[in-house]
Amino acid sequence: MQFTFAHNNFNVRDLDKSLAFYRDALGLVETRRINAPDGSFIIVYLGDGASAHLLELTWLRDWDRAYNLGDNEFHLAFHVDDYDAAHRLHQQMDCICFENPAMGIYFIADPDGYWPEIIPAK
């Protein structure tokens, strides 16, 4: 028996704002979308164009508060081929929320407070 990664899900409050963030900050593009017939939810899958792994963004019409992310210790990590250029872009976007120079990594904050990790390609 073999299991392989399919996707991770983040629930979001403002789907358009989140789609723009993930496009601009990480180059992720929409691969498919599910619209509930009654309008109660929208699920959008984002891909990086290089791997099969997807980020699923879920918007719930009736959700009326910020999501509780706890201590926010869970995250997605992204390798980047030009770490310095990525760092400059994220500085310009003012979305860097934590840096660990000793480990050579940093985190960016999305509109809902999730922290994607940025790692230089090995």
Side-chain angles (χ1 to χ4, degrees):
M1 184 177 337
Q2 174 69 47
F3 294 93
T4 58
F5 282 106
H7 66 265
N8 288 83
N9 175 77
F10 286 167
N11 282 22
V12 300
R13 299 276 320 273
D14 184 328
L15 184 58
D16 290 334
K17 190 174 183 179
S18 293
L19 289 170
F21 175 83
Y22 283 100
R23 180 197 62 228
D24 296 346
L26 298 169
L28 301 183
V29 296
E30 183 174 334
T31 63
R32 64 188 165 105
R33 176 182 292 239
I34 300 168
N35 292 296
D38 66 357
S40 62
F41 69 85
I42 300 171
I43 297 173
V44 178
Y45 293 92
L46 303 178
D48 61 16
S51 68
H53 193 95
L54 299 172
L55 174 59
E56 173 188 308
L57 300 181
T58 301
W59 172 82
L60 303 171
R61 177 190 61 207
D62 297 330
W63 196 263
D64 62 356
R65 60 199 174 281
Y67 286 97
N68 180 348
L69 304 183
D71 293 330
N72 208 7
E73 289 296 324
F74 62 91
H75 60 273
L76 290 177
F78 292 85
H79 282 119
V80 63
D81 61 349
D82 190 338
Y83 184 86
D84 293 332
H87 192 272
R88 283 192 302 276
L89 170 67
H90 295 144
Q91 279 181 318
Q92 291 169 354
M93 292 178 68
D94 196 29
C95 64
I96 295 175
C97 57
F98 180 77
E99 294 188 67
N100 187 328
M103 291 182 71
I105 62 171
Y106 67 93
F107 293 81
I108 58 177
D110 86 348
D112 289 280
Y114 296 103
W115 284 23
E117 178 181 359
I118 309 301
I119 303 169
K122 306 231 180 220

